[in-house]
Amino acid sequence: MAVPPSSSPRPLRAAPPPVSRGGIGLAQGRYGLRGNLELVLCDDQDGLWVLWFNSDPQDTSPEPGGPPPGEWSGALRFATGRRYDEVGVLQSRHGPHHLELLARSGDTTHRLRWSPEQAFTAEHPPPGAPARAIGTTETANGTLWTGVLAKDGRPRLLRADASAYPRLTWADDTPAAGLPADERWTAMALAAGPGTDAGAGAGTDAEADAERPAVVLVGDREGIFLSPTGETHPLPAAALAAAVTADDGVRLYLWSEGPWLEVLAPGSPGGTRRLPLPGSGEVTALAATPLSHEPDGTDLVVRRGGHLWHLRDTGREDAATAAELTSRLTPAPGNGPHSVHRG
């Protein structure tokens, strides 16, 4: 006689994320009902890991074996064969909807691309001297930008011609003034300025005239912010920085040494506020992305004391949320064991 199925749901499969090191990359993608988050980690020994966060509404049914709404997926390892120190990821308009990754191994920069047809592939990297830090972003009309902080403290800003995408042709577009070289710079971040999508295709005159992104440079004594329009603003000393595009400008998240992040919008009225951090210990990685479905919302991932934390900043200190990042998956089809992470 057939046994009726149990009415009680099977428990979620859960696991902490893989052990990681170095920088992390975070972006809101275009998949899912509201745009899932894409998180890229540098493995402690070899390659990169990618996870995604299910941003669908809570009443949405998840795919079997995937994360329910409000949870992180398992991790998939890729780009093995070298040990990485830093990584950035963005959801590109090109492809369409391909993911662009910029990763640093030692002082060498690597470019990778994700597409639905080929998954992750290695692409020709942007030129540049040996780097100590990198950054990447895409402005509203689809122009891809890379920032390279050379080992001697000299920053460069590179603009890509994407008319033959996925092949990119890079040109140096470093402002003549406003980006001073300083051996004390330790981190670099880029963010597209606020704007509307020009709707222009790659290779058009609109792309050539694209607004530069904002550039952030920080060090242990001071920092500097160069706006898309060329204005410079001093920043406090910081070890880590993340920059996101907001409706009223560019919002920065800086960490120096306290149990909080300094949040500020250079050139905008209002002072600095503090976003409390969960956990304890030193912060060793920081990444942030704006949320298209939540005005003024920013999601962040922070590594503190060896643990990864997922934070949501709503702009109000009393409404910020934080949770330790954990992969949680619905039961997979079949009866055999299924690991949470692959690779």
Side-chain angles (χ1 to χ4, degrees), residues 14-237:
V19 178
S20 61
R21 66 185 301 272
I24 54 183
L26 180 67
Q28 184 176 31
R30 293 200 172 96
Y31 295 92
L33 297 179
R34 297 196 299 194
N36 298 325
L37 302 183
E38 308 285 348
L39 174 67
V40 184
L41 308 172
C42 302
D43 183 72
D44 189 49
Q45 297 296 327
D46 181 28
L48 300 169
W49 295 94
V50 61
L51 305 85
W52 60 276
F53 179 80
N54 189 340
S55 296
D56 287 352
Q58 287 295 323
D59 59 355
T60 306
S61 297
E63 294 183 3
E71 301 288 357
W72 286 94
S73 75
L76 172 67
R77 194 202 301 254
F78 66 102
T80 56
R82 59 175 55 93
R83 192 181 193 212
Y84 292 92
D85 300 279
E86 186 178 8
V87 65
V89 61
L90 62 85
Q91 173 68 74
S92 178
R93 293 164 173 79
H94 298 285
H97 308 332
H98 290 187
L99 293 177
E100 284 281 338
L101 285 80
L102 203 63
R104 180 174 58 83
S105 176
D107 57 13
T108 303
T109 303
H110 303 269
R111 176 186 166 222
L112 300 106
R113 178 178 59 92
W114 180 89
S115 66
E117 300 80 17
Q118 298 178 291
F120 287 100
T121 56
E123 305 292 342
H124 190 70
R132 70 167 68 169
I134 54 175
T136 185
T137 194
E138 185 177 275
T139 43
N141 70 341
T143 302
L144 291 160
W145 299 83
T146 287
V148 178
L149 180 60
K151 294 187 72 174
D152 62 3
R154 184 168 45 91
R156 296 177 65 200
L157 188 61
L158 305 174
R159 184 188 70 246
D161 175 0
S163 58
Y165 189 85
R167 182 175 64 84
L168 301 176
T169 302
W170 297 90
D172 193 323
D173 200 1
T174 306
L179 286 181
D182 193 327
E183 292 184 352
R184 295 172 297 182
W185 298 140
T186 57
M188 183 180 198
L190 304 183
T196 56
D197 194 334
T204 65
D205 291 340
E207 179 177 302
D209 295 334
E211 185 182 67
R212 286 191 182 100
V215 182
V216 180
L217 294 165
V218 294
D220 59 1
R221 293 189 182 181
E222 61 182 355
I224 190 171
F225 173 84
L226 179 67
S227 76
T229 56
E231 300 171 346
T232 59
H233 301 272
L235 297 176

